[in-house]
Amino acid sequence: MGKVGEVAVGEVGESVIEIRPAREDEYLAVGELVESAFRSLLGSDLSENYANELRDVAIRARSTDVFVALLGERIVGSVTYVGDPSSPFAEELEAGEVGVRMLAVDPAVQGSGVGRAMMEFCKLRAQADRARAIFLFSTPAMVAAHRLYRSMGFSEPSERTLTVGNGLCLLPFRLEL
Ligand SMILES: CC(C)(COP(=O)(O)OP(=O)(O)OC[C@H]1O[C@@H](n2cnc3c(N)ncnc32)[C@H](O)[C@@H]1OP(=O)(O)O)[C@@H](O)C(=O)NCCC(=O)NCCS
């Protein structure tokens, strides 16, 4: 990553990747991309409530930072960075932690390094914010994401595992900075 802050430029393979805040006129397309990434993994297990939440970029952009990743002009990924613990999108954050949510890469370009680039960007941003750690939840089906988090050094503090209303288990991942 070239630059820390609101915008970063780096490389994935032979391509240049840019990561920057999502613009308002992109919210619709970003929401659809995030939904399609989760739907391609979860299929009919993706509840309508959660699909609506994934699509609604405008709501989360009020209290979080929604970033997009671009290869050339094309938006290929998005991630939501939760630096404000009072945000309704802050899930079980402890003192000094920031959250990362709704990490998603267009299924057509998955496996080419975009997800890792966005997570490295979040790590740089969290360090710049002087956070102690990044904390996030994942679900058991998200095995690609788990490999990514483990390879970055995230630990899995099992005592913070949560079971939500529909019996879904939320697996905790934490990266000490
Ligand atoms: C998780 C996700 C964002 C990863 O994005 P990506 O661009 O495909 O990931 P990358 O190409 O940067 O790969 C990063 C690492 O993820 C893991 N990974 C990626 N694709 C994988 C696959 N198909 N199977 C297993 N592990 C995989 C690998 O560890 C990989 O590192 P490596 O290439 O050095 O082995 C993407 O798969 C996605 O959008 N999934 C659906 C939504 C989701 O699960 N979000 C996570 C919410 S907690």
Side-chain angles (χ1 to χ4, degrees):
M1 281 298 144
K3 200 174 146 196
V4 188
E6 283 293 285
V7 180
V9 176
E11 280 168 23
V12 294
E14 313 255 293
S15 310
V16 173
I17 185 169
E18 182 189 0
I19 300 174
R20 60 153 173 80
R23 298 180 189 135
E24 231 173 296
D25 63 344
E26 295 167 337
Y27 286 177
L28 203 61
V30 173
E32 282 171 5
L33 182 153
V34 176
E35 184 194 356
S36 83
F38 278 70
R39 194 174 292 285
S40 77
L41 178 72
L42 302 175
S44 57
D45 287 343
L46 180 65
S47 71
E48 255 335 282
N49 272 354
Y50 195 39
N52 290 340
E53 190 179 347
L54 293 171
R55 265 199 310 269
D56 201 339
V57 176
I59 289 243
R60 61 182 176 272
R62 288 185 200 151
S63 63
T64 69
D65 293 300
V66 180
F67 290 100
V68 286
L70 294 101
L71 291 177
E73 300 285 300
R74 182 173 159 208
I75 295 176
V76 291
S78 178
V79 66
T80 294
Y81 176 90
V82 189
D84 175 0
S86 70
S87 162
F89 291 89
E91 272 187 325
E92 306 283 326
L93 296 181
E94 293 183 353
E97 292 178 343
V98 294
V100 168
R101 298 201 52 193
M102 299 173 193
L103 174 71
V105 172
D106 180 342
V109 303
Q110 285 179 9
S112 51
V114 175
R116 185 182 293 281
M118 288 194 291
M119 285 305 296
E120 291 293 347
F121 174 81
C122 289
K123 183 177 167 186
L124 292 175
R125 169 67 193 265
Q127 285 167 332
D129 285 349
R130 298 182 183 281
R132 278 177 51 199
I134 295 175
F135 181 76
L136 61 88
F137 284 112
S138 186
T139 64
M142 296 171 169
V143 291
H146 302 169
R147 279 188 54 178
L148 168 59
Y149 303 147
R150 288 178 191 132
S151 75
M152 289 180 68
F154 275 79
S155 62
E156 294 160 73
S158 55
E159 70 282 2
R160 294 176 73 178
T161 302
L162 275 188
T163 304
V164 288
N166 52 6
L168 183 67
C169 187
L170 299 183
L171 306 171
F173 287 83
R174 185 177 193 274
L175 182 67
E176 185 82 28
L177 297 171

